[in-house]
Amino acid sequence: MSDEQTEAPAQPQGENRQRRNNRRPFRSRNANAPVGTDAATAERPNTEAREDNRPPRQDNRPPRTDNRPPRTDNRPPRTDNRPPRQDNRPPRTDRPEGAENTATDAEPNRGGRDRGRGGRRGSPSTPIDNNLRDFVLKNQDAHKNRLNPHFKLNLDNNEKVRITPLGGLGEIGGNITVIETENEAIIIDIGMSFPDEEMHGVDILVPDFTYLREIRKKIVAVIITHAHEDHIGGVPYLFKEMQFPIYGTPLPLAMIGNKFDEHHMRDFRRYFNPIVKRQVYRIGNDFDIEWMHMTHSIIDSSSLAITTKAGTIIHTGDFKIDFTPVDGYTADIHRLAHYGEKGVLCLLSDSTNSYNKEWTPSELTVAPGFDRIFSKSEGRIIMSTFSSNIHRVYQAILAGVKYNRKVCVIGRSMERNLEVCMQYDYIKLPKNIFIDAEEANRMSDKDVLIVTTGSQGEPSSALFRMAIGEHRHIKIKPTDLIVLSARAIPGNEGSISGMLNYLQRAGARVANDRDIHVSGHASLEEQKLMLRLTNPKFFLPVHGEYNHIMKHKDTAIACGVPERNILLMSDGDSIEVNSKMMRKVKTVKTGKTYIDNQNNHQIEDDIVIDRQKMASEGMVMLVAQVSAAESRLLSKPLVTSFGLVADRNDKAFAQEMEDVLEHFLINLKPGLIENPKAIENDLRQVVRKHIYRKMKKYPLIVPHVFVM
């Protein structure tokens, strides 16, 4: 210590601590003893035994008994009565001149002890084992090799593969994706979607097949992941035009076969190629495909491992990770991990449920909800869900049988799907529990369970027709309990609300509790698991609206996929992938084809446009007789309007149109009178402009001019 510090009066504790921090290390008292001097002589404060010129100690402290090296500084001896240190720490070296103490008042370096050397206060420093340190580095390298997909792919490989979604992005449903190499292509799923309220007279939408026509000669197969309508509903409409081998598990092929029967295409069953999961199938010359079992809201779902010369592509299909499924067949995460260990070039993963942060509950969790509701009901129970959710229907039937109810299945799709699953032993139920609708009306209400379609409020569904009193067998009673075991598909909220209003006006009680429905799609945590299992180099989120795939992108970044290796696609984007890069190369034509489900025929685009225009803008029809010699009206024209003016104004509007027509004929171009079609086109433009100036509407104009 300096003289100034020694003579200073008592200071606060913080200052004493600071002063101790500046104290230099002690020198061993017996380290410099002459050779042959005994320990007692060396320990006495004898100036002759010292090699330095320091004065002898003037305190009564006992001699040090440790083996610390001597001090090498010129500090004066300690004048306090503190006991000697009992550790073997090496002496501290002097700080360079001008150096300041780095300890702060908030966290002082207590007693001058350096925590970086010893860890716990007062403990000696721990020596480093270089051998262990080498293995730490080796394990870090092992983690990098395990987690970084770049180490698993052949970067010298110049092969490439192209991925083009034709539906399923920016929407819910209508899923179809084309994967093609230089010489061949496969189609993954051909789904349908539902129209919006403006598509009048349209029942379903199927993808535009224009691009498939362009690459028709390259297509070697259609690959099916599962049997939901948004993945197989468009198959019959493609096969009416072109046919390819279809590969899939038995249930999807059986349901596609039913669709072929409805469309009078039974002969096309010869294109079916059923597969066995966990076996690799060579399809064409460029594709090796393995189906891996996946849990979803329909039986027999699969993910795909598509191996090409460019690398392996994993397509998840629709999925969730259910560890306790109804049939006991859990998701095959082992095969996903197997491909992840080998190296995955690109992952296409379901994004539908990206915003759900909680793990999607197991399908098995709805059974207690059904039991609770069925045990309290004293009247009829009418349960509605998606017709394809066979495990949900199966659990509802088991609950009904438990409480001695007979089961009446109503709805064509529900009857067909349940029958197929029973035929192929996906579920097993005794046939004597089923009754038809006429028999249900003769039985006591407490003995009947009706399973039906219509959970989305579709106007043509059985439940909706029951709600409005138009079903020929079942009428809603005040004692009925309606169980809706489904969530609303985005866009169907209005139709569901309208159906609920009809049901409740009829006096029925409605149960749509959360515990009687679970989603069939992966939540955020399950998406993370899929990303970690497959560990892809490139990532393409699919299936869902844009906000869903955007959220899925954030999840992938959090799971270690570089942002530059993720692309957000839209329908028609053609993405080229190889081991070194991923890029968008072009955009192909996509769209929707309108289908009238009553006759299974396509509705042309211009018909739908005309219907939309008539619904929103109205229609005007003009019929006129014109003199060919004088270019004037021969009689009063017939003017009819729909959805444009009120009935009481029809006469005034007809007179107005007559004046417009006369003015048009006066200014008719020479020679045009000989071409009635040209006259009608020009008249259509004149009338449209006149109506827009007065009413700000663009109605459908239908002129008929007869030149006589």
Side-chain angles (χ1 to χ4, degrees):
M1 292 182 290
S2 66
D3 294 338
E4 182 179 350
Q5 288 175 329
T6 305
E7 298 174 359
Q11 294 181 352
Q13 183 178 358
E15 297 182 13
N16 289 335
R17 184 182 299 120
Q18 182 71 19
R19 196 169 60 208
R20 289 197 299 272
N21 290 343
N22 295 328
R23 193 165 55 242
R24 287 169 289 185
F26 289 104
R27 180 181 63 82
S28 176
R29 294 170 182 159
N30 57 359
N32 296 327
V35 177
T37 306
D38 59 7
T41 305
E43 290 176 357
R44 288 198 301 268
N46 186 354
T47 56
E48 296 178 358
R50 301 176 184 266
E51 294 181 359
D52 54 10
N53 296 323
R54 289 182 299 153
R57 289 184 359 191
Q58 301 298 324
D59 53 15
N60 296 322
R61 290 177 294 168
R64 296 197 310 183
T65 60
D66 54 16
N67 295 321
R68 289 176 294 167
R71 297 190 302 179
T72 59
D73 54 13
N74 295 323
R75 290 180 300 161
R78 290 180 4 188
T79 58
D80 53 11
N81 295 321
R82 287 178 297 166
R85 297 194 305 180
Q86 301 297 327
D87 55 17
N88 295 321
R89 289 177 296 161
R92 294 170 298 173
T93 58
D94 287 341
R95 291 186 179 87
E97 185 177 354
E100 297 180 356
N101 186 11
T102 58
T104 62
D105 292 338
E107 188 179 354
N109 192 352
R110 300 181 182 273
R113 298 186 177 107
D114 188 353
R115 290 184 182 272
R117 291 184 301 158
R120 192 175 68 252
R121 178 180 177 184
S123 63
S125 60
T126 303
I128 296 177
D129 187 331
N130 290 329
N131 185 45
L132 294 181
R133 188 175 184 85
D134 290 342
F135 275 86
V136 170
L137 298 176
K138 291 179 180 179
N139 276 287
Q140 290 175 351
D141 290 339
H143 286 308
K144 290 179 182 178
N145 292 332
R146 175 176 65 90
L147 296 174
N148 192 338
H150 298 268
F151 292 110
K152 302 176 183 179
L153 301 175
N154 181 11
L155 297 180
D156 295 329
N157 183 3
N158 294 321
E159 297 289 341
K160 57 190 177 182
V161 64
R162 187 171 295 176
I163 302 170
T164 309
L166 301 180
L169 289 171
E171 61 177 335
I172 302 297
N175 300 288
I176 176 174
T177 302
V178 178
I179 297 181
E180 55 185 311
T181 61
E182 192 68 29
N183 301 313
E184 296 179 346
I186 58 173
I187 306 170
I188 299 178
D189 294 333
I190 307 171
M192 50 154 278
S193 55
F194 293 100
D196 57 36
E197 296 178 352
E198 295 182 355
M199 299 178 184
H200 305 281
V202 178
D203 297 313
I204 62 174
L205 306 174
V206 298
D208 188 331
F209 300 136
T210 300
Y211 184 65
L212 299 183
R213 298 184 188 101
E214 295 175 4
I215 63 170
R216 179 173 184 171
K217 294 182 179 180
K218 290 180 63 176
I219 299 173
V220 294
V222 175
I223 309 299
I224 302 298
T225 60
H226 64 283
H228 269 151
E229 290 291 323
D230 61 336
H231 290 259
I232 66 170
V235 173
Y237 301 97
L238 175 68
F239 271 64
K240 288 179 179 179
E241 184 176 349
M242 51 188 112
Q243 299 82 43
F244 310 103
I246 307 179
Y247 291 82
T249 50
L251 182 63
L253 295 183
M255 291 190 173
I256 293 173
N258 286 339
K259 292 183 175 296
F260 284 169
D261 295 344
E262 291 178 3
H263 289 259
H264 308 290
M265 301 160 55
R266 182 181 293 270
D267 290 344
F268 289 157
R269 286 175 176 263
R270 68 180 183 273
Y271 290 101
F272 288 172
N273 293 274
I275 61 90
V276 177
K277 294 181 180 180
R278 281 197 160 210
Q279 290 188 12
V280 178
Y281 289 82
R282 168 58 62 93
I283 296 177
N285 296 316
D286 293 347
F287 298 97
D288 291 321
I289 302 180
E290 177 182 344
W291 280 254
M292 300 170 288
H293 184 73
M294 194 56 56
T295 46
H296 186 40
S297 56
I298 191 171
I299 299 172
D300 214 6
S301 297
S302 303
S303 292
L304 304 172
I306 305 166
T307 302
T308 66
K309 293 179 181 178
T312 298
I313 299 170
I314 299 293
H315 190 298
T316 67
D318 288 350
F319 79 99
K320 72 175 184 179
I321 307 297
D322 189 345
F323 295 114
T324 57
V326 175
D327 58 7
Y329 299 144
T330 56
D332 196 350
I333 59 179
H334 304 84
R335 293 304 291 171
L336 293 169
H338 163 75
Y339 282 101
E341 189 66 26
K342 291 175 60 177
V344 172
L345 176 66
C346 185
L347 171 68
L348 284 73
S349 185
D350 177 18
S351 306
T352 307
N353 223 5
S354 297
Y355 284 95
N356 187 5
K357 296 181 180 180
E358 299 178 357
W359 197 283
T360 305
S362 169
E363 182 66 34
L364 206 60
T365 60
V366 303
F370 283 145
D371 188 88
R372 172 180 55 82
I373 293 174
F374 286 23
S375 64
K376 298 178 181 179
S377 178
E378 298 179 354
R380 285 188 308 187
I381 298 176
I382 302 176
M383 197 282 290
S384 179
T385 187
F386 296 107
S387 63
S388 60
N389 198 340
I390 299 301
H391 279 158
R392 185 77 49 81
V393 175
Y394 177 68
Q395 292 185 93
I397 291 175
L398 292 182
V401 172
K402 178 181 177 181
Y403 293 100
N404 301 317
R405 292 178 180 266
K406 294 293 186 180
V407 181
C408 176
V409 181
I410 297 178
R412 185 179 59 179
S413 60
M414 182 73 75
E415 294 174 1
R416 184 178 62 243
N417 292 344
L418 194 59
E419 181 181 6
V420 168
C421 289
M422 292 177 64
Q423 286 175 341
Y424 291 98
D425 290 334
Y426 285 100
I427 60 173
K428 296 181 180 180
L429 292 168
K431 292 188 177 181
N432 60 1
I433 66 172
F434 294 99
I435 57 175
D436 58 27
E438 294 180 353
E439 189 177 356
N441 285 328
R442 296 193 296 267
M443 296 181 63
S444 174
D445 289 350
K446 64 181 179 60
D447 297 330
V448 175
L449 166 64
I450 297 174
V451 179
T452 186
T453 57
S455 61
Q456 299 302 302
E458 305 96 319
S460 60
S461 67
L463 183 59
F464 189 89
R465 287 185 282 116
M466 294 178 198
I468 62 178
E470 293 185 358
H471 195 276
R472 60 178 179 174
H473 295 300
I474 306 299
K475 307 297 180 184
I476 299 299
K477 301 178 182 179
T479 56
D480 289 343
L481 173 64
I482 313 297
V483 179
L484 293 181
S485 181
R487 70 175 178 87
I489 294 175
N492 291 348
E493 295 86 356
S495 58
I496 294 175
S497 178
M499 181 182 69
L500 292 178
N501 290 334
Y502 285 118
L503 291 170
Q504 290 172 344
R505 283 195 186 104
R509 294 181 298 117
V510 177
N512 52 2
D513 304 341
R514 293 188 61 182
D515 63 346
I516 58 174
H517 172 69
V518 295
S519 175
H521 295 273
S523 67
L524 187 145
E525 294 301 321
E526 292 152 280
Q527 291 172 352
K528 288 180 181 178
L529 178 59
M530 179 63 71
L531 285 160
R532 289 301 190 183
L533 287 170
T534 57
N535 196 22
K537 179 173 183 178
F538 299 109
F539 178 56
L540 296 173
V542 294
H543 299 177
E545 298 176 359
Y546 189 83
N547 65 91
H548 297 145
I549 64 174
M550 185 68 185
K551 180 64 176 176
H552 204 172
K553 172 186 175 181
D554 296 339
T555 303
I557 294 173
C559 289
V561 182
E563 185 174 5
R564 66 181 180 274
N565 289 359
I566 305 173
L567 280 180
L568 303 185
M569 301 185 294
S570 299
D571 288 343
D573 290 347
S574 190
I575 308 299
E576 190 174 86
V577 187
N578 65 21
S579 59
K580 293 183 283 293
M581 62 84 188
M582 177 172 65
R583 62 176 181 171
K584 175 182 173 182
V585 292
K586 65 177 181 178
T587 300
V588 304
K589 184 179 184 300
T590 60
K592 298 298 180 184
T593 300
Y594 308 108
I595 302 296
D596 182 350
N597 210 26
Q598 302 302 316
N599 52 24
N600 293 324
H601 288 165
Q602 177 182 345
I603 306 173
E604 297 298 332
D605 294 359
D606 55 348
I607 295 177
V608 177
I609 293 172
D610 288 346
R611 290 175 181 177
Q612 292 173 343
K613 183 169 290 188
M614 285 189 287
S616 59
E617 307 288 340
M619 184 180 74
V620 176
M621 182 177 292
L622 298 170
V623 181
Q625 291 179 329
V626 178
S627 169
E630 302 176 359
S631 297
R632 63 180 181 83
L633 291 172
L634 294 177
S635 61
K636 199 175 187 65
L638 176 63
V639 180
T640 308
S641 67
F642 302 93
L644 189 65
V645 297
D647 290 345
R648 64 177 180 273
N649 297 328
D650 280 347
K651 186 176 293 187
F653 181 75
Q655 182 61 48
E656 185 178 342
M657 289 297 101
E658 183 178 350
D659 295 340
V660 170
L661 184 55
E662 288 179 348
H663 189 269
F664 168 75
L665 292 174
I666 291 173
N667 296 281
L668 193 65
K669 295 178 183 179
L672 195 63
I673 193 68
E674 299 174 359
N675 189 345
K677 289 296 181 184
I679 294 176
E680 291 177 357
N681 289 334
D682 288 354
L683 179 60
R684 183 182 292 109
Q685 298 298 326
V686 170
V687 173
R688 179 179 286 112
K689 289 179 181 179
H690 175 80
I691 293 176
Y692 181 76
R693 282 195 301 267
K694 295 198 66 176
M695 304 180 183
K696 302 302 179 185
K697 294 286 185 181
Y698 283 114
L700 182 66
I701 311 297
V702 185
H704 293 283
V705 177
F706 298 96
V707 179
M708 308 179 71

